[in-house]
Amino acid sequence: MRRLFKSGQGLGFGIDAVRPVAVVALSLLLAIGVFGLSGYPVAGIVNGAIEGSVGSAAAWTQTLRWAIPLLIIALGVGITFQAGYFNVGAQGQMYAGAIGALAVGLALRDGPGAIVVPLALATGIALGALWSLVPGFLRTRLGADEVVTSLMMNFIAVLLLEWICVGPLKNRDGSGQAAATDMLPAAFRISDGSGVSPTLLGICAALVAAVVVLHSRTRAGLEIRLVGRNPVMAEWMGIRSSGIGLLVFGLGGATAGLAGAVEVFGPLGSLRAGFSPQMGFMAVIVALVAAFGPVRTVVAALFFGALRAATLYLPVVNDLPLAGLDMLNGMVALWITVSAVPAILARRATRRTLAAEAARADREVVGNHG
Amino acid sequence: MGDFLATCLQAATPIWLAALAGMYAQRAGVVHLGLEGLIVSGAFTATATALATGSIVLALAAAVAVNLALSLLFWLLITRLKANVMIVGLGLSLTAAGATGYSLVVVFGSGAAVQSPIGLPRPFDWLTGPLAPLGDLSVLTFAAVALSWFAWWSIRRTRAGLRLSACGSDPFAARSAGVPVDRYRLAALLGGGFLCALAGAELSLAQVQSFSEGISQGRGYLAFAAVLLGGVAPVGVSLASLFFGFAAAFGIQSQVDFNDVLPPQFVLMAPYIVTIVAISVTALVNRRRGRQPMVIMERTL
Amino acid sequence: MCSARTHDHPHQPPPAWPSSRDGAALTCSGVSVDFGGFPALSDVTATFPAGNVHAVVGQNGAGKTTLARVMAGLITPADGAVQVGADRLPGGSVSEARRRGVELVHQHFALPSDFTVAQCFELFNGDSGHVGAFSRKELRRRALALLAGAGADVDPDAVIGRLPIETLQSVEIARALASGPRVLILDEPTAVLPPPAIHALFGRLRALAIEGLCVIVVLHKMREVFGVADTASALRAGRLVLEPTPIGELDPATLSRAIIGGATVHAATSTREPAGSNPVELEVIGLAARSSAHDASAADVSLRIRQGEIVGIAGVEGNGQRSLVEAIVGVAGVRSGSITLGGTDVSAASVRERRGRGLRVIPFERNAEGVSLSSALWENHAAMRSSRDRLLISPKALKRQCQDALRRWKVSYRSEDQPAGSLSGGNVQKTILAREVTGDLRVLVAAHPTRGLDIAAAEDVRGALVRAAEEGAAVLVVSADLEEMFDVCHRVLVMLGGRVVATFERPFDTEQVGAAMVGGGSG
């Protein structure tokens, strides 16, 4: 376990509000700088971004439309990360959930919505959890690295979705879209194409409340934190870290699956191959920026949802490429976990850090030889 | 048959080069999830430079230069600024994907694929007869073979290689031996940046001679899987990469052969499923032998 | 082209070491080290002349290891400098220190566990600036020469992770001597060795000093100091309280006063004999358990502990004690045999179930197994799983429970939300006791319960063990400190190679127990 967790050192983020805000601001400035240097009018972009994200009721709707799936996934991602498991398979889990929900919805298309919709959402949740439990099981029972396996599960889900869209659930109306499925009956949709509805907001609120309770009021939440910070100690205390591992993989997958189901029963109505390709990684970034706190996750998801809305709006007003958003998100990921001030700023602190590091290295070796 | 082998090697080359990069990094104690980003940036820079200058040498040099700069940034973030290795790696991949997509539009006016006027040299294109398929292979495929040997030699037969490995397997021991751990990590990452530049160039200048958004299609992550699958050893990593090449070639081939029997998507899933199975079996075997799980992550999250 | 070469074999390995050594005095002047606001060393000034064995003594946490690491360039001092002969060492550079002839042998060794012995020698080969290509043959030949020169009988192709601790130490010493050092520093080399090996080691160190080397040994046992050293110096709380003083001018009482300072040593805790009719609370029969790294696996271990009884496990570290404890606690698997808690067979039960039956543990590594350093105190206090747990918790109530317990144990802390890592070692150990020693305690397994604690804290912990027994618990103590065990235990078992080789009853005889620990006696 030595390399996996330095003893006693877990998710030791400095949980302060300053760093995430500073990191996001820095990345925004850098991105705007790049846009400016490559010839786009900076003022126009800033105005456009504000207009497209919070400038009007429609803009707010767009912001919420993207914040909702991000929030749902990021809450689950946060739980897995907090237990010390690096599950990066949210994208695949979301696809699995979307496929499952859609399949149920289309199979029972003549059924009553009040039964079919909850059933479909539950199927989405279950399939997402199952998709996540594959790497979870391999990690906790066999020790197979979850980063590789969950990435591989993403690729498999992408191909599965592609097959669904050209194969069994292909839209046979031939509406020109090459790889898309049939539409769900309008009666099943829990929101219109805008992606915002009281039902969806209700689901989000319930989920946030549930995670808050999990965090601060349940034994499981306490154990998740302990396992994430020191799995060896947890074992000695009688907490089975493999059990907690399966739990968090399951929860992470369930929320991602729910997000997929919500996407397809909400704004999308049908599935296209490779929809929302960066959603999984974006949710990881949202969770990191929020440092896994449920309420902070709401704020972070709203912000990144606003960015997404802005970037989708900007090409309309001044041809700014959509890929600029990925660049910006990537930059946030680059800086967000920075935990040391540059040596130039704190030369005095460095010596201390080195000495402390040496002391820690010793503990590591001690732990190794037991 | 010869054609099929050549296709295997072609498909393997970019993964192979990137996997060697990942192996050096992992040996030095850095989990390299930025391989994907470095491949993309290498591919884009090589294509753009080839278009601008018409010189293949300059194209390669530019790709290498950009990747060295990105690798330096990666190193600064994880050592000097103590950021989480895996998040930074993912961030690098995400940033590179976004930045190349963005640059494609800014530089070439649209997001469509750009063609390169020149391609990588094919040193054996004069061959005929049964050896003719070899003629399709770019110089970098042969370079990958040579670099694999070099990787083996440098890791197994030099003191520098031992020191590098110590940085990954026991940084405290390395420091006690007077090894400047961070500097070795920098060297490993810069070497990796170079290799990924070649991988990118192979992708965009060897067969199709064009760059399009999403050109890498996750090959960097496959390379990372190959590193673990090959046990972070030069020979094992090379074999794992060749296996991925074989699987990709088989996928292409089977699309032609039995499209109606099995959807191509399922054939294309094969390498991912095999990776999951192989990694699980390795982990299980190690656990049975009482060894610690093969998790080589230094987690600071 | 090769005319300059005088050797016939261009790749001949260097001689193992020069026959007479070129030692040098090591001088510390005003060395201070600060670990995040906590002074680990303050203003240490001392000169250690060549040709002598210098003992540096002090309690755990006095700064001995830190001083050794500063000398070896592993830690950059905040202030002050180290000088070897006439050369001043640039602080914080191991390679510079090694180039000037300072070698450090670590207490827990610094050899990558997946390397072979030969590869380790090459890793520590100081010829820098080269790529250093080699062939396997050369590597093997060099390693054989160095091992033979250091009198170690080890296969150069053996993998480090599979070697026993004693062998590791001889490998580490051989690699330290390979560079022809002027100053050799050993950090607590005796902690892991059985007495005969300690004897041999001391012989080697004396010989090296006579050859002219400056040998500095960190020790903590009085007997060892007087057995090997020419001079002794003492550290207390990061300060040098005794400068290197010829051993002839010292006596054990003076030296121990220097180490302990003003603290008074309490009289030995006496433990009441338990009634022979008390029921057996913990019973282990024919236990074979799995082992972890560097530890023998327990084989065919049987023991019974009655209520109110304290049983000690003595033995050189790595002889199966950890394997036994892990099997009793349930964190490691049982191969065969059975474990019974209060009459119920728990061999296959989970840790949680065993804890539910009143099993409590003070683990070996308190910072790794006992607490989560980055978690809050109240979270650590509430960490233990038991069958009474409910799904929902109230952090407020848990914090109050934590506060009550920590106050009862006189832990000095500010708030229950403070991370455990911000407390000192002794206080951390007390938080573990506060969690483990509770009303429903029936079996207490304590591994090295006082290791690294100051005298007052150690006394508290020993008192807690005795009190637990008096209140009816069965207590199993694993310790390296025989005196402590003789103090509190009713019976002492000796483990060697995973087996219980001897059992001793009161009154204990140190000589006999010591002999049994190395396979020389019978019980």
CSV table of all heavy atoms in Angstrom, one decimal, chain B residues 69-106:
chain,number,residue,atom,x,y,z
B,69,ALA,N,8.6,21.6,-24.4
B,69,ALA,CA,8.1,22.7,-23.6
B,69,ALA,C,6.9,22.2,-22.7
B,69,ALA,O,6.9,22.5,-21.5
B,69,ALA,CB,7.6,23.9,-24.5
B,70,LEU,N,6.0,21.4,-23.3
B,70,LEU,CA,4.9,20.9,-22.5
B,70,LEU,C,5.3,20.0,-21.4
B,70,LEU,O,4.8,20.0,-20.3
B,70,LEU,CB,3.9,20.2,-23.4
B,70,LEU,CG,3.1,21.1,-24.4
B,70,LEU,CD1,2.2,20.3,-25.3
B,70,LEU,CD2,2.2,22.1,-23.6
B,71,SER,N,6.3,19.2,-21.7
B,71,SER,CA,6.8,18.2,-20.7
B,71,SER,C,7.5,19.0,-19.6
B,71,SER,O,7.4,18.6,-18.4
B,71,SER,CB,7.8,17.3,-21.3
B,71,SER,OG,7.2,16.5,-22.3
B,72,LEU,N,8.2,20.1,-19.9
B,72,LEU,CA,8.8,20.9,-18.9
B,72,LEU,C,7.7,21.5,-17.9
B,72,LEU,O,7.8,21.5,-16.7
B,72,LEU,CB,9.6,22.0,-19.5
B,72,LEU,CG,10.3,23.0,-18.5
B,72,LEU,CD1,11.4,22.3,-17.7
B,72,LEU,CD2,10.9,24.2,-19.3
B,73,LEU,N,6.6,22.0,-18.6
B,73,LEU,CA,5.5,22.5,-17.8
B,73,LEU,C,4.9,21.4,-16.9
B,73,LEU,O,4.7,21.7,-15.7
B,73,LEU,CB,4.4,23.0,-18.8
B,73,LEU,CG,3.1,23.4,-18.1
B,73,LEU,CD1,3.3,24.7,-17.4
B,73,LEU,CD2,2.0,23.6,-19.1
B,74,PHE,N,4.7,20.2,-17.4
B,74,PHE,CA,4.2,19.1,-16.6
B,74,PHE,C,5.1,18.9,-15.4
B,74,PHE,O,4.6,18.8,-14.3
B,74,PHE,CB,4.2,17.9,-17.5
B,74,PHE,CG,3.5,16.6,-16.9
B,74,PHE,CD1,2.5,16.7,-16.1
B,74,PHE,CD2,4.0,15.4,-17.3
B,74,PHE,CE1,1.9,15.6,-15.5
B,74,PHE,CE2,3.4,14.2,-16.8
B,74,PHE,CZ,2.3,14.3,-15.9
B,75,TRP,N,6.4,18.9,-15.7
B,75,TRP,CA,7.4,18.6,-14.6
B,75,TRP,C,7.3,19.7,-13.5
B,75,TRP,O,7.3,19.4,-12.3
B,75,TRP,CB,8.8,18.5,-15.2
B,75,TRP,CG,9.8,18.3,-14.2
B,75,TRP,CD1,10.2,17.2,-13.5
B,75,TRP,CD2,10.7,19.4,-13.7
B,75,TRP,NE1,11.2,17.4,-12.7
B,75,TRP,CE2,11.6,18.7,-12.7
B,75,TRP,CE3,10.9,20.7,-13.9
B,75,TRP,CZ2,12.6,19.4,-12.0
B,75,TRP,CZ3,11.8,21.4,-13.2
B,75,TRP,CH2,12.7,20.8,-12.3
B,76,LEU,N,7.2,21.0,-14.0
B,76,LEU,CA,7.2,22.1,-13.0
B,76,LEU,C,6.0,21.9,-12.1
B,76,LEU,O,6.0,22.1,-10.9
B,76,LEU,CB,7.1,23.4,-13.8
B,76,LEU,CG,8.4,23.9,-14.3
B,76,LEU,CD1,8.2,25.2,-15.2
B,76,LEU,CD2,9.4,24.3,-13.2
B,77,LEU,N,4.8,21.6,-12.8
B,77,LEU,CA,3.6,21.5,-12.0
B,77,LEU,C,3.7,20.4,-10.9
B,77,LEU,O,3.2,20.6,-9.8
B,77,LEU,CB,2.4,21.3,-12.9
B,77,LEU,CG,1.9,22.5,-13.7
B,77,LEU,CD1,1.1,22.1,-14.8
B,77,LEU,CD2,1.2,23.4,-12.7
B,78,ILE,N,4.2,19.3,-11.3
B,78,ILE,CA,4.1,18.1,-10.4
B,78,ILE,C,5.3,18.2,-9.4
B,78,ILE,O,5.1,17.6,-8.3
B,78,ILE,CB,4.1,16.8,-11.1
B,78,ILE,CG1,5.3,16.5,-11.9
B,78,ILE,CG2,2.8,16.6,-11.9
B,78,ILE,CD1,5.4,15.1,-12.4
B,79,THR,N,6.4,18.8,-9.7
B,79,THR,CA,7.5,18.8,-8.7
B,79,THR,C,7.5,20.1,-8.0
B,79,THR,O,7.4,20.2,-6.8
B,79,THR,CB,8.8,18.5,-9.4
B,79,THR,OG1,9.1,19.5,-10.4
B,79,THR,CG2,8.9,17.2,-9.9
B,80,ARG,N,7.7,21.2,-8.7
B,80,ARG,CA,7.8,22.5,-8.0
B,80,ARG,C,6.6,23.0,-7.4
B,80,ARG,O,6.6,23.6,-6.3
B,80,ARG,CB,8.4,23.5,-9.0
B,80,ARG,CG,9.8,23.3,-9.5
B,80,ARG,CD,10.8,23.5,-8.4
B,80,ARG,NE,12.1,23.1,-8.8
B,80,ARG,CZ,12.7,22.0,-8.6
B,80,ARG,NH1,12.1,21.0,-8.0
B,80,ARG,NH2,14.0,21.8,-9.0
B,81,LEU,N,5.4,22.7,-8.0
B,81,LEU,CA,4.2,23.2,-7.5
B,81,LEU,C,3.3,22.1,-6.8
B,81,LEU,O,2.2,22.4,-6.4
B,81,LEU,CB,3.4,23.9,-8.6
B,81,LEU,CG,4.1,25.1,-9.3
B,81,LEU,CD1,3.2,25.7,-10.4
B,81,LEU,CD2,4.5,26.1,-8.3
B,82,LYS,N,3.9,20.9,-6.8
B,82,LYS,CA,3.3,19.8,-6.0
B,82,LYS,C,1.8,19.6,-6.4
B,82,LYS,O,1.0,19.4,-5.5
B,82,LYS,CB,3.4,20.1,-4.5
B,82,LYS,CG,4.8,20.4,-4.1
B,82,LYS,CD,5.1,19.8,-2.8
B,82,LYS,CE,6.6,20.0,-2.4
B,82,LYS,NZ,7.5,19.5,-3.4
B,83,ALA,N,1.5,19.6,-7.7
B,83,ALA,CA,0.1,19.3,-8.1
B,83,ALA,C,0.0,17.8,-8.2
B,83,ALA,O,1.0,17.1,-8.3
B,83,ALA,CB,-0.2,20.0,-9.4
B,84,ASN,N,-1.2,17.4,-8.2
B,84,ASN,CA,-1.5,15.9,-8.4
B,84,ASN,C,-1.1,15.4,-9.8
B,84,ASN,O,-1.6,16.0,-10.8
B,84,ASN,CB,-3.0,15.6,-8.1
B,84,ASN,CG,-3.3,14.2,-8.2
B,84,ASN,OD1,-3.5,13.7,-9.4
B,84,ASN,ND2,-3.4,13.5,-7.1
B,85,VAL,N,-0.3,14.4,-9.8
B,85,VAL,CA,0.2,13.9,-11.1
B,85,VAL,C,-0.9,13.5,-12.1
B,85,VAL,O,-0.8,13.9,-13.2
B,85,VAL,CB,1.1,12.7,-10.8
B,85,VAL,CG1,1.4,11.9,-12.1
B,85,VAL,CG2,2.4,13.1,-10.2
B,86,MET,N,-1.9,12.8,-11.6
B,86,MET,CA,-2.9,12.3,-12.5
B,86,MET,C,-3.8,13.4,-13.0
B,86,MET,O,-4.1,13.4,-14.2
B,86,MET,CB,-3.6,11.2,-11.9
B,86,MET,CG,-2.8,9.9,-11.8
B,86,MET,SD,-3.7,8.5,-11.3
B,86,MET,CE,-3.7,8.7,-9.6
B,87,ILE,N,-4.1,14.3,-12.2
B,87,ILE,CA,-5.0,15.4,-12.6
B,87,ILE,C,-4.3,16.3,-13.6
B,87,ILE,O,-4.8,16.6,-14.6
B,87,ILE,CB,-5.5,16.3,-11.4
B,87,ILE,CG1,-6.2,15.4,-10.4
B,87,ILE,CG2,-6.3,17.4,-11.9
B,87,ILE,CD1,-7.6,15.0,-10.8
B,88,VAL,N,-3.0,16.5,-13.3
B,88,VAL,CA,-2.2,17.4,-14.3
B,88,VAL,C,-2.1,16.6,-15.6
B,88,VAL,O,-2.3,17.3,-16.7
B,88,VAL,CB,-0.9,17.7,-13.7
B,88,VAL,CG1,0.0,18.4,-14.7
B,88,VAL,CG2,-1.0,18.6,-12.5
B,89,GLY,N,-1.9,15.3,-15.6
B,89,GLY,CA,-1.8,14.6,-16.8
B,89,GLY,C,-3.1,14.6,-17.6
B,89,GLY,O,-3.0,14.9,-18.8
B,90,LEU,N,-4.2,14.4,-16.9
B,90,LEU,CA,-5.5,14.5,-17.6
B,90,LEU,C,-5.7,16.0,-18.2
B,90,LEU,O,-6.2,16.2,-19.3
B,90,LEU,CB,-6.6,14.2,-16.7
B,90,LEU,CG,-6.8,12.7,-16.4
B,90,LEU,CD1,-8.0,12.5,-15.4
B,90,LEU,CD2,-7.1,11.9,-17.6
B,91,GLY,N,-5.3,16.9,-17.3
B,91,GLY,CA,-5.4,18.3,-17.7
B,91,GLY,C,-4.6,18.6,-19.0
B,91,GLY,O,-5.1,19.3,-19.9
B,92,LEU,N,-3.4,18.1,-19.0
B,92,LEU,CA,-2.5,18.3,-20.2
B,92,LEU,C,-3.2,17.7,-21.4
B,92,LEU,O,-3.2,18.3,-22.5
B,92,LEU,CB,-1.2,17.6,-19.9
B,92,LEU,CG,-0.1,17.9,-20.9
B,92,LEU,CD1,0.3,19.4,-20.9
B,92,LEU,CD2,1.2,17.1,-20.6
B,93,SER,N,-3.8,16.5,-21.3
B,93,SER,CA,-4.4,15.9,-22.4
B,93,SER,C,-5.6,16.7,-22.9
B,93,SER,O,-5.8,16.9,-24.1
B,93,SER,CB,-4.9,14.5,-22.1
B,93,SER,OG,-3.8,13.7,-21.8
B,94,LEU,N,-6.4,17.2,-21.9
B,94,LEU,CA,-7.5,18.0,-22.2
B,94,LEU,C,-7.1,19.3,-22.9
B,94,LEU,O,-7.7,19.8,-23.9
B,94,LEU,CB,-8.3,18.3,-20.9
B,94,LEU,CG,-9.8,18.4,-21.0
B,94,LEU,CD1,-10.4,17.1,-21.6
B,94,LEU,CD2,-10.4,18.5,-19.6
B,95,THR,N,-6.1,20.0,-22.3
B,95,THR,CA,-5.7,21.3,-22.8
B,95,THR,C,-5.2,21.1,-24.3
B,95,THR,O,-5.5,21.9,-25.1
B,95,THR,CB,-4.5,21.8,-22.0
B,95,THR,OG1,-4.9,21.8,-20.6
B,95,THR,CG2,-4.3,23.3,-22.3
B,96,ALA,N,-4.4,20.1,-24.5
B,96,ALA,CA,-3.8,19.9,-25.8
B,96,ALA,C,-4.9,19.6,-26.8
B,96,ALA,O,-4.8,20.2,-27.9
B,96,ALA,CB,-2.8,18.7,-25.8
B,97,ALA,N,-5.9,18.8,-26.4
B,97,ALA,CA,-7.0,18.5,-27.4
B,97,ALA,C,-7.7,19.8,-27.7
B,97,ALA,O,-7.9,20.1,-28.9
B,97,ALA,CB,-7.9,17.5,-26.8
B,98,GLY,N,-8.0,20.6,-26.7
B,98,GLY,CA,-8.7,21.9,-26.9
B,98,GLY,C,-7.8,22.8,-27.7
B,98,GLY,O,-8.3,23.4,-28.7
B,99,ALA,N,-6.6,23.0,-27.3
B,99,ALA,CA,-5.7,23.9,-28.0
B,99,ALA,C,-5.5,23.6,-29.5
B,99,ALA,O,-5.5,24.5,-30.3
B,99,ALA,CB,-4.4,24.0,-27.3
B,100,THR,N,-5.3,22.3,-29.8
B,100,THR,CA,-5.1,22.0,-31.2
B,100,THR,C,-6.4,22.2,-32.0
B,100,THR,O,-6.4,22.7,-33.1
B,100,THR,CB,-4.6,20.5,-31.4
B,100,THR,OG1,-5.5,19.7,-30.6
B,100,THR,CG2,-3.2,20.4,-30.9
B,101,GLY,N,-7.5,21.8,-31.4
B,101,GLY,CA,-8.8,22.1,-32.1
B,101,GLY,C,-9.0,23.6,-32.3
B,101,GLY,O,-9.4,24.0,-33.4
B,102,TYR,N,-8.7,24.3,-31.3
B,102,TYR,CA,-8.8,25.8,-31.4
B,102,TYR,C,-7.9,26.3,-32.5
B,102,TYR,O,-8.3,27.1,-33.4
B,102,TYR,CB,-8.5,26.4,-30.1
B,102,TYR,CG,-8.4,27.9,-30.0
B,102,TYR,CD1,-9.6,28.6,-30.0
B,102,TYR,CD2,-7.2,28.6,-30.0
B,102,TYR,CE1,-9.6,30.0,-29.9
B,102,TYR,CE2,-7.2,30.0,-30.0
B,102,TYR,CZ,-8.4,30.7,-30.0
B,102,TYR,OH,-8.3,32.0,-29.9
B,103,SER,N,-6.6,25.9,-32.4
B,103,SER,CA,-5.6,26.4,-33.4
B,103,SER,C,-6.0,26.0,-34.8
B,103,SER,O,-5.7,26.7,-35.8
B,103,SER,CB,-4.2,25.8,-33.1
B,103,SER,OG,-3.9,26.1,-31.7
B,104,LEU,N,-6.5,24.8,-35.0
B,104,LEU,CA,-6.9,24.4,-36.3
B,104,LEU,C,-7.9,25.4,-36.9
B,104,LEU,O,-7.7,25.8,-38.1
B,104,LEU,CB,-7.7,23.0,-36.2
B,104,LEU,CG,-7.8,22.1,-37.4
B,104,LEU,CD1,-6.4,21.8,-37.9
B,104,LEU,CD2,-8.5,20.9,-37.0
B,105,VAL,N,-8.8,25.9,-36.1
B,105,VAL,CA,-9.7,26.9,-36.7
B,105,VAL,C,-9.0,28.2,-36.9
B,105,VAL,O,-9.1,28.9,-37.9
B,105,VAL,CB,-10.9,27.1,-35.7
B,105,VAL,CG1,-11.9,28.1,-36.2
B,105,VAL,CG2,-11.6,25.8,-35.5
B,106,VAL,N,-8.2,28.6,-35.9
B,106,VAL,CA,-7.6,29.9,-36.0
B,106,VAL,C,-6.6,30.0,-37.1
B,106,VAL,O,-6.5,30.9,-37.9
B,106,VAL,CB,-6.9,30.3,-34.6
B,106,VAL,CG1,-6.0,31.5,-34.8
B,106,VAL,CG2,-7.9,30.4,-33.5
